[in-house]
Amino acid sequence: MFRSWSSDARLDGKTVIITGANTGIGKETAIDLAKRGARIIMACRDMEKTDAALKEVKDASGNQDVVACRLDLADSKSIREFAENINKEEKQVNILINNAGVMVCPYGKTADGFEMQIGVNHMGHFLLTYLLLDLIKRSSPARIINVSSMAHQWGTINLEDINSEKNYDKQKAYSQSKLANILFTRSLAKRLEGTGVTAYALHPGVVQTELWRHLNKPQQAAMWLAKPFTKTSVQGAQTTIYCAVAPELETESGKYYSDCAPAKCSQAAMDDEVGQRLWELSCKMLSITWE
């Protein structure tokens, strides 16, 4: 059911940024990587929640070199402020973990007018990666990790209506955003060849986390019945940790992982032409030039 993986790899002297590190998988990832000696930057929207999580990460890991910074992925202004701060204050970023996400939420828009799920899960992380990329390249060998989901298998990229304005199905919009994560990873890996920076996408497993909060009652009941088969946040974080530290992945880039091993993604997730068009559309919507 769940392949456990462990490694005593150390991250002393390395700096790691984790988005959405105040709950669930993100927090468990922060604890694990802090135990390995890394400097951890927890990038989170809700700073009140994050204060308690920050203390928890420090206490559980015994590492005091953990800081929290505000980052709202639903607002490009916040993303730019966060990145400006990191570029100014940090001399390196060796691992960027794009972990934060919203799942099957009611229709809403980001500050920039993007549908919330594509906006936070894809556009926000796309912009963040772009703004930090020069620093990450200077820190090589470095890794960029995008937390996707097996839900990508039910997704299609609607380039004509990326914001689901014509009709909104929250499951479809979620799947589209998770498919975008994999296409972005593949396109990014191609552009990073020869730089010493590698990129990975992964499915964390069906995890009991706060992402469930938007499910309806029957869906929550189904999840509750499935509880013995779902993973705890600690288990759910293992594939992220694997992609961040496994020495054997240093020469791999652009692939998709599940249960701490390479996994099959959908045909749509390997459509590099759509990936390129999504890249161009993302740049246009975010008003950036990223060849």
Side-chain angles (χ1 to χ4, degrees):
M1 174 68 195
F2 177 71
R3 202 167 87 87
S4 75
W5 172 84
S6 69
S7 160
D8 51 11
R10 298 287 304 169
L11 294 173
D12 304 286
K14 306 267 192 209
T15 299
V16 180
I17 295 176
I18 306 169
T19 68
N22 57 345
T23 63
I25 295 171
K27 185 169 70 179
E28 295 305 334
T29 301
I31 291 169
D32 182 283
L33 302 185
K35 281 181 182 165
R36 296 173 192 272
R39 167 173 171 75
I40 306 288
I41 299 167
M42 300 169 66
C44 312
R45 187 186 46 139
D46 184 339
M47 290 312 279
E48 268 177 50
K49 255 192 200 166
T50 304
D51 287 341
L54 179 65
K55 186 180 180 316
E56 199 183 326
V57 172
K58 285 180 175 178
D59 292 350
S61 66
N63 181 346
Q64 293 307 299
D65 195 7
V66 184
V67 295
C69 300
R70 189 172 185 280
L71 170 67
D72 182 357
L73 287 156
D75 184 352
S76 63
K77 193 162 152 280
S78 170
I79 299 168
R80 287 182 179 278
E81 281 167 9
F82 172 85
E84 196 181 334
N85 186 36
I86 295 293
N87 285 322
K88 204 167 64 201
E89 303 294 331
E90 300 296 326
K91 52 183 197 298
Q92 59 179 18
V93 170
N94 309 91
I95 302 169
L96 169 62
I97 301 176
N98 290 321
N99 161 83
V102 286
M103 179 180 169
V104 296
C105 51
Y107 192 81
K109 288 202 161 174
T110 68
D112 303 275
F114 308 143
E115 181 273 317
M116 192 60 74
Q117 298 188 85
I118 198 76
V120 170
N121 300 352
H122 169 65
M123 297 290 179
H125 283 125
F126 187 92
L127 179 61
L128 177 66
T129 305
Y130 166 77
L131 295 170
L132 296 176
L133 198 61
D134 285 343
L135 179 57
I136 294 170
K137 282 180 179 170
R138 292 199 300 275
S139 313
S140 72
R143 300 185 186 195
I144 297 167
I145 293 144
N146 295 318
V147 178
S148 176
S149 163
M150 71 182 291
H152 82 270
Q153 295 170 5
W154 302 294
T156 50
I157 302 290
N158 187 346
L159 293 159
E160 272 60 63
D161 185 24
I162 201 82
N163 287 319
S164 311
E165 281 165 331
K166 293 195 181 77
N167 59 1
Y168 180 67
D169 175 317
K170 58 189 183 181
Q171 255 93 13
K172 278 185 183 153
Y174 178 68
S175 296
Q176 170 177 254
S177 73
K178 295 288 104 182
L179 175 57
N181 293 152
I182 303 178
L183 291 170
F184 171 45
T185 304
R186 287 173 64 93
S187 299
L188 183 62
K190 269 213 272 311
R191 284 166 172 82
L192 291 172
E193 275 172 20
T195 62
V197 183
T198 44
Y200 312 85
L202 67 102
H203 166 63
V206 180
V207 181
Q208 307 152 20
T209 74
E210 286 186 19
L211 281 176
W212 291 15
R213 61 183 172 267
H214 294 300
L215 299 180
N216 59 34
K217 285 285 178 284
Q219 285 170 329
Q220 285 180 344
M223 283 297 204
W224 190 80
L225 290 171
K227 224 171 165 97
F229 308 105
T230 58
K231 298 177 182 178
T232 62
S233 289
V234 175
Q235 289 171 330
Q238 294 310 305
T239 305
T240 305
I241 296 160
Y242 170 74
C243 289
V245 305
E248 64 269 28
L249 294 191
E250 201 158 302
T251 52
E252 299 287 335
S253 191
K255 296 204 172 96
Y256 172 72
Y257 299 84
S258 178
D259 275 341
C260 302
K264 258 195 161 81
C265 56
S266 69
Q267 280 302 115
M270 295 187 289
D271 188 334
D272 292 333
E273 195 184 318
V274 170
Q276 175 59 24
R277 289 172 65 197
L278 174 66
W279 186 285
E280 289 164 7
L281 179 64
S282 304
C283 287
K284 192 172 146 194
M285 290 171 68
L286 291 161
S287 308
I288 58 176
T289 308
W290 188 1
E291 293 308 331

